[in-house]
Amino acid sequence: MDFTHEIEKRKTFAIISHPDAGKTTLTEKLLLFGGAIRQAGTVKGKKGGKFATSDWMKVEQERGISVTSSVMQFDFDGYKINILDTPGHEDFSEDTYRTLMAVDSAVMVIDAAKGIEPQTLKLFKVCRMRGIPIFTFINKLDRVGKEPFELLEEIEETLEIETYPMTWPIGMGPSFFGIINRKDRTINPYREEEKLTLDEDYELKESHPIAEDEAFQTAVDEFMLVEEAGDAFDRDKIATGDLTPVFFGSALSTFGIEEFLDTYVDYAPMPTPRRTKEESQVSPTNEDFSGFIFKIQANMDPRHRDRLAFMRVVSGKFTRGMDVTLARTGRKTKVNRATMFMADDTETVNEAYAGDIIGLYDTGNFQIGDTLYDGQKVDFEDLPQFTPEIFMKVSAKNVMKQKHFYKGIEQLVQEGAIQYYKTVHTNQPILGAVGQLQFEVFEHRMKNEYNTDVIMEPVGKKIARWVENEDAITDAMSTSRSNLVLDRYDNQVFLFENEFAMRWFSEKYPEIKLYTLL
């Protein structure tokens, strides 16, 4: 069965950035440019009732932020491109981290006025750790920002990566004229249709008033300097994430996106192998189907109470109706309902190949990190789980709604944004999260999707540590400063009041072996 040509057509990337750098807008315009949608609703256009296609959750629409990872596919130049728009808000870094396990490359969006921001740096480090190629889009050139060389220097020094500008800006803000395309030495004007061309001496081949402009002369001088003294183009370094192609543009105006896409499809990798728990690798061209669940989302359509498990196809070919085995349980299941996201529309998937992201309709069988396979047994390595830092006691305001309350908690915990704990003797539910916003989203969704008001009582910041040798635990070890709770799998976890309390515990009970998640 030869489906290698289908796999070679797949390109799968995540968009990463700090909040407000324009990540969701860029996603939207890529879809628009690829013909996947007819009209872009931008984050700025909320008064008109239009929302970004990838911001489907009500709380996202109200706040203008992305707190879930959205998945969309479009066609461009003969390629099937899968985009994963990650949460920009740092409280949802765990969801973003898992998303980065499901892609083969990343696009880093940087605000030209702000440069490298903390969340960008954090996500970039995850990409470097995985060794995935990174493409950089410097956004908002239609506003006044930092000088291009300053931005490149900041990227190189802060992120310790070489840069190779594929385009170069002429002016910025009100004087922004356009970009020079390094590959073919053309100039793409921001407000005009016709492209201009530079000759071998960096002069315009055709007459144009911009030739007399100071911003144009400065840009050409800078461009010549980049050509002569900048980092050399190295395809191998792009592939290992040691060199990033850089593009300048304005996502809001759909400007500079064509140049980005043209280069991206040429140099981004096809689907890459994935490691298993046995430390072997599964090649995308392996004929046996395999994939893993990296995200679960309940109630994307509240009318149908649906639940989707997002799967990255790792190898072989997925066919609707096929029997697959769930590695965790060893049980076979027939997959009759699967969907693919085409921006503002979904369509039933009959076939999918390595690199594709598809949604499986789920009645509660799947968990984040699950491996599905057909043929030879495979079990992919675990996806990361973060150690929560903030904790809340939670209960239903109306005791008559306990059934809705526990169903809502179960489903939202399975999505992985919050973690579930309970007290040892009273089974009081306690939620753990990386950031405060996760609790706000939980409360909002319990009310709107499960019709349940909740009471949330802050437990505060705690240091959570799991126990390797649970048999050695005694009741006396659980105190107000080292509270023993159980996680959703009934593993024992100590919630320490602070670092001092944890050190005191370790000195008093040296036989207890504690460990942390990421």
Side-chain angles (χ1 to χ4, degrees), residues 300-312:
M300 289 187 75
D301 183 351
R303 294 169 301 175
H304 297 118
R305 287 274 177 246
D306 61 343
R307 175 180 146 119
L308 281 177
F310 290 79
M311 179 179 68
R312 155 77 189 228

Side-chain angles (χ1 to χ4, degrees), residues 266-302:
D266 283 345
Y267 298 107
M270 62 174 272
T272 49
R274 287 293 185 274
R275 292 175 63 84
T276 68
K277 288 178 180 173
E278 291 76 31
E279 297 191 355
S280 61
Q281 286 198 331
V282 175
S283 167
T285 55
N286 187 319
E287 289 198 359
D288 287 342
F289 160 80
S290 67
F292 64 88
I293 307 294
F294 67 93
K295 173 183 172 63
I296 290 174
Q297 192 74 57
N299 306 325
M300 289 187 75
D301 183 351

Side-chain angles (χ1 to χ4, degrees), residues 301-363:
D301 183 351
R303 294 169 301 175
H304 297 118
R305 287 274 177 246
D306 61 343
R307 175 180 146 119
L308 281 177
F310 290 79
M311 179 179 68
R312 155 77 189 228
V313 181
V314 174
S315 67
K317 176 183 176 181
F318 168 85
T319 307
R320 186 161 66 103
M322 74 186 300
D323 288 323
V324 297
T325 302
L326 178 58
R328 175 170 47 84
T329 63
R331 292 173 61 181
K332 279 198 170 187
T333 182
K334 186 180 288 290
V335 183
N336 289 319
R337 296 183 68 203
T339 190
M340 194 168 278
F341 301 87
M342 310 295 286
D344 52 0
D345 194 15
T346 60
E347 62 177 43
T348 299
V349 174
N350 292 314
E351 293 179 348
Y353 298 87
D356 283 336
I357 308 291
I358 60 177
L360 307 180
Y361 288 90
D362 179 30
T363 55

Side-chain angles (χ1 to χ4, degrees), residues 11-234:
K11 306 280 183 179
T12 304
F13 70 88
I15 300 191
I16 61 173
S17 80
H18 198 81
D20 297 327
K23 169 180 58 63
T24 301
T25 305
L26 178 60
T27 305
E28 185 87 356
K29 296 307 178 74
L30 286 168
L31 296 169
L32 182 69
F33 197 89
I37 55 176
R38 290 176 294 281
Q39 182 182 13
T42 70
V43 171
K44 295 288 183 189
K46 289 198 165 48
K47 289 182 181 173
K50 280 188 271 179
F51 304 110
T53 299
S54 56
D55 286 353
W56 62 269
M57 195 193 289
K58 191 164 182 258
V59 70
E60 296 179 306
Q61 296 171 354
E62 290 169 356
R63 287 170 171 259
I65 57 170
S66 299
V67 296
T68 58
S69 301
S70 303
V71 180
M72 287 149 286
Q73 187 186 77
F74 69 96
D75 294 330
F76 179 80
D77 198 23
Y79 290 93
K80 296 273 185 191
I81 300 178
N82 296 288
I83 305 180
L84 283 75
D85 176 14
T86 63
H89 200 284
E90 63 181 352
D91 285 5
F92 289 81
S93 52
E94 186 172 355
D95 196 33
T96 303
Y97 204 119
R98 286 194 291 261
T99 297
L100 290 172
M101 301 298 113
V103 300
D104 304 303
S105 55
V107 175
M108 180 168 61
V109 185
I110 294 174
D111 185 323
K114 297 175 181 175
I116 302 294
E117 297 177 85
Q119 184 68 358
T120 315
L121 177 59
K122 189 184 293 185
L123 297 174
F124 173 85
K125 285 181 176 176
V126 177
C127 295
R128 284 304 298 270
M129 188 175 74
R130 285 205 57 221
I132 66 175
I134 295 165
F135 296 76
T136 301
F137 190 88
I138 297 179
N139 194 23
K140 304 185 182 179
L141 263 291
D142 50 340
R143 303 181 191 178
V144 175
K146 297 181 179 182
E147 294 296 324
F149 276 125
E150 184 184 351
L151 288 162
L152 293 182
E153 187 177 357
E154 191 175 335
I155 292 169
E156 292 189 350
E157 291 185 359
T158 308
L159 305 181
E160 297 179 350
I161 189 172
E162 295 176 20
T163 60
Y164 188 90
M166 304 298 296
T167 61
W168 194 260
I170 302 171
M172 70 172 64
S175 66
F176 182 49
F177 177 79
I179 50 176
I180 301 171
N181 185 334
R182 190 172 182 179
K183 189 177 176 184
D184 53 17
R185 287 202 188 181
T186 56
I187 294 173
N188 184 0
Y190 180 52
R191 292 185 175 87
E192 299 175 26
E193 292 296 319
E194 291 297 317
K195 291 188 178 182
L196 307 171
T197 312
L198 291 171
D199 62 21
E200 60 274 7
D201 297 319
Y202 303 96
E203 293 183 359
L204 283 175
K205 286 187 177 181
E206 50 276 278
S207 61
H208 193 281
I210 189 63
E212 309 303 321
D213 193 285
E214 185 180 344
F216 174 74
Q217 293 300 331
T218 301
V220 168
D221 289 344
E222 290 172 340
F223 179 64
M224 290 170 67
L225 186 59
V226 166
E227 288 268 75
E228 292 165 14
D231 291 318
F233 185 83
D234 189 324

Side-chain angles (χ1 to χ4, degrees), residues 369-425:
D370 273 347
T371 296
L372 300 175
Y373 67 89
D374 178 37
Q376 189 172 354
K377 183 180 178 181
V378 61
D379 200 358
F380 294 110
E381 60 184 359
D382 290 333
L383 295 182
Q385 187 180 14
F386 282 23
T387 298
E389 298 172 8
I390 312 172
F391 295 84
M392 286 264 191
K393 286 183 182 177
V394 60
S395 54
K397 191 173 281 187
N398 183 345
V399 293
M400 303 297 288
K401 293 201 169 181
Q402 291 287 75
K403 188 176 178 183
H404 288 275
F405 172 72
Y406 280 103
K407 183 180 180 183
I409 281 187
E410 181 188 10
Q411 292 200 348
L412 296 182
V413 164
Q414 284 172 347
E415 290 184 14
I418 52 170
Q419 293 181 27
Y420 177 78
Y421 303 87
K422 61 187 177 186
T423 54
V424 174
H425 298 297

